[in-house]
Amino acid sequence: MIKRLFKSTFLFAFIGLVSCGNTNSDKDEQAVTVDKSKTELTSEDIIVGANRTETYLPILEGKRVGLVGNQSSRIDKEDGYTHLVDSLLSLDVNLKKVFAPEHGFRGTADAGEAIEDGKDAETGLPVISLYGDNKKPKPEQLEGLDVLIFDLQDVGARFYTYISSLHYVMEACAENNIQLIVFDRPNPNGHYIDGPILEMENKSFVGMHPIPTVHGLTMGEYAKMINGEKWLKDGIQCELEVVEMENYNHSLAYELPVKPSPNLPNAQSINLYPSLCFFEGTNVNAGRGTDKQFQVFGSPYLDKEYFDYTYTPESKDGAKNPKHLGETCYGRDLSEHESLSKINLEWLLEAYQNTEDKEKFFNAFFTKLAGTTKLQEQIEEGLSAEEIRETWKPGLAEFSEKREKYLLY
């Protein structure tokens, strides 16, 4: 069996899941339960689904196979790695075509950028985009396939669109009688759940299901929830197989071996992403166009007397036309901030309270990211972070109970 020892440079003491809590203290809101028998495991012991070839090769034998993947779809070895496409072909798997999500097969496209269908330069395999106008594989695109593999590295936030791609892929597989195999990978924000629950009237590609902002599930667990809760169209369910990881639990810190997307370059950006992505629905830049994506925030409209950190967004790979391109932004540098185990609302609140024109702070995208109109209303009404978090508790309690049914680790 192929193994890879993953190195983590940010092992931190995250030991469980955010609960709704029975007290109002921040400390008591943090997660409390850990299987003590697993506490000696580290991220170096984790064997991801893609590496467990002995589990899935028998399933693929004699099948015509498609892959939903990107640059994070890889088999890791002690001396490096190979892309999953190359590995499958070398193992004589009959791989017919590749489907690519947002950011493309090689993971270099801007957020929201249209991705064209084409061919993989390395293998000549056809590559079909699952973004833009073609979020769901069409029957003719699935024709000739018996099984579809889904192997994407998620980061555990509702608005990270790979789970939306998962929904549409599952739906297409169910409608076309194709088996789906999910190769599971760690959730780097899987140690907690937090945030408002999405209200279905605000459903969009950045939020499709009634879950909190941070859901605390791996991709395999999330697929089981989609099936189990019958969230696919007309309540259909797909034939699902999850290739589980070995030696993983949700309390383990895990540093991704490759960027999951262009603007999440390191562990710090991934950890801050659930908190800072809300700025995408405001006139504040969240580090796009810098080398500290989702580690800084700033705007020309924030009070420069209050915010002493400045930067100027530039055109870069993955952010060709960032918000406030070429303008001096005033804000905060959070690149050295301690790791979070809950959403930090303070940065969003202080930016709103110290902006030039509060009526121009939010845009229509904010409600889609929040999944509810309530968060913007609460901020505009002057509620504190603690008061806002208090309103999340009933929804988090209900989701936490539902989530338990689908946990694999």
Side-chain angles (χ1 to χ4, degrees):
M1 178 171 56
I2 302 172
K3 292 187 178 179
R4 163 84 152 80
L5 298 179
F6 292 116
K7 270 190 155 181
S8 174
T9 62
F10 73 118
L11 291 177
F12 43 84
F14 285 151
I15 58 169
L17 305 171
V18 164
S19 68
C20 290
N22 296 315
T23 79
N24 291 328
S25 74
D26 256 1
K27 184 176 180 181
D28 288 337
E29 284 180 4
Q30 305 301 314
V32 290
T33 57
V34 163
D35 183 344
K36 298 299 182 184
S37 68
K38 297 179 179 178
T39 55
E40 294 183 1
L41 291 174
T42 72
S43 62
E44 295 180 348
D45 299 308
I46 296 171
I47 301 172
V48 299
N51 274 49
R52 301 189 62 209
T53 53
E54 79 291 347
T55 299
Y56 60 81
L57 286 180
I59 305 174
L60 301 179
E61 187 174 358
K63 304 287 181 61
R64 297 167 297 179
V65 181
L67 169 67
V68 181
N70 64 7
Q71 78 287 348
S72 69
S73 310
R74 45 190 270 172
I75 289 182
D76 290 275
K77 310 172 185 178
E78 292 183 1
D79 59 349
Y81 72 91
T82 57
H83 195 282
L84 184 58
V85 164
D86 302 322
S87 295
L88 292 176
L89 292 174
S90 70
L91 293 166
D92 295 325
V93 172
N94 187 15
L95 187 61
K96 308 296 287 185
K97 61 183 68 174
V98 175
F99 298 84
E102 183 178 9
H103 305 298
F105 180 52
R106 297 296 176 185
T108 56
D110 280 7
E113 182 179 352
I115 306 297
E116 301 295 331
D117 293 347
K119 285 190 175 183
D120 177 38
E122 300 290 327
T123 63
L125 286 171
V127 178
I128 299 166
S129 172
L130 293 182
Y131 196 67
D133 295 331
N134 188 49
K135 295 181 177 67
K136 177 178 172 180
K138 295 179 174 62
E140 59 268 27
Q141 294 170 334
L142 294 171
E143 189 174 351
L145 297 181
D146 302 306
V147 62
L148 198 56
I149 297 169
F150 192 100
D151 186 23
L152 295 175
Q153 177 62 62
D154 190 44
V155 300
R158 184 183 62 224
F159 31 60
Y160 201 65
T161 60
Y162 294 166
I163 57 174
S164 298
S165 295
L166 175 64
H167 172 106
Y168 284 122
V169 167
M170 290 179 67
E171 196 167 270
C173 285
E175 292 170 343
N176 293 276
N177 298 312
I178 293 174
Q179 182 182 20
L180 180 68
I181 304 176
V182 175
F183 290 179
D184 217 1
R185 293 182 180 272
N187 176 354
N189 287 312
H191 53 283
Y192 73 105
I193 61 172
D194 204 10
I197 304 294
L198 178 134
E199 298 159 350
M200 291 306 287
E201 59 266 31
N202 299 306
K203 176 182 175 180
S204 73
F205 196 59
V206 292
M208 298 191 67
H209 307 125
I211 64 169
T213 308
V214 183
H215 52 73
L217 296 165
T218 68
M219 197 68 93
E221 292 169 335
Y222 200 93
K224 285 169 60 68
M225 179 176 276
I226 290 175
N227 244 5
E229 297 301 313
K230 297 186 177 180
W231 284 338
L232 303 179
K233 186 173 65 177
D234 300 325
I236 58 176
Q237 295 174 301
C238 83
E239 182 184 350
L240 176 67
E241 178 84 23
V242 177
V243 180
E244 298 178 22
M245 292 173 280
E246 292 183 349
N247 305 324
Y248 172 75
N249 68 72
H250 286 276
S251 68
L252 289 178
Y254 180 78
E255 184 168 352
L256 305 187
V258 63
K259 293 191 296 186
S261 52
N263 286 288
L264 292 179
N266 54 32
Q268 183 74 344
S269 65
I270 291 168
N271 181 252
L272 294 176
Y273 176 73
S275 299
L276 297 189
C277 192
F278 287 118
F279 281 122
E280 301 280 270
T282 73
N283 63 10
V284 177
N285 173 289
R288 293 186 189 271
T290 77
D291 293 326
K292 294 183 177 181
Q293 306 97 313
F294 291 101
Q295 298 159 83
V296 301
F297 70 87
S299 166
Y301 309 118
L302 294 183
D303 185 350
K304 62 183 178 182
E305 300 300 325
Y306 183 86
F307 294 100
D308 56 4
Y309 176 72
T310 63
Y311 66 92
T312 303
E314 302 173 352
S315 181
K316 292 180 175 289
D317 288 342
K320 297 181 179 65
N321 188 30
K323 193 182 300 180
H324 307 311
L325 175 66
E327 298 182 73
T328 301
C329 294
Y330 304 90
R332 292 266 183 263
D333 181 357
L334 305 170
S335 58
E336 300 298 326
H337 195 279
E338 63 183 10
S339 295
L340 301 178
S341 56
K342 67 176 184 179
I343 290 173
N344 185 311
L345 284 174
E346 298 292 349
W347 301 317
L348 182 62
L349 293 177
E350 72 169 349
Y352 175 76
Q353 292 160 1
N354 293 278
T355 194
E356 186 177 283
D357 186 347
K358 291 180 172 56
E359 291 187 0
K360 296 180 180 179
F361 184 78
F362 294 103
N363 60 49
F365 193 44
F366 186 84
T367 293
K368 290 183 178 181
L369 291 170
T372 173
T373 59
K374 294 184 180 68
L375 183 56
Q376 180 175 339
E377 293 166 357
Q378 291 167 332
I379 294 171
E380 291 174 336
E381 289 168 5
L383 271 64
S384 67
E386 292 74 18
E387 290 170 327
I388 293 172
R389 295 181 63 82
E390 192 72 20
T391 67
W392 297 347
K393 286 187 174 182
L396 288 173
E398 182 179 349
F399 176 78
S400 182
E401 183 177 351
K402 180 184 299 182
R403 173 181 173 275
E404 287 291 327
K405 297 184 292 182
Y406 303 107
L407 293 178
L408 296 170
Y409 313 98

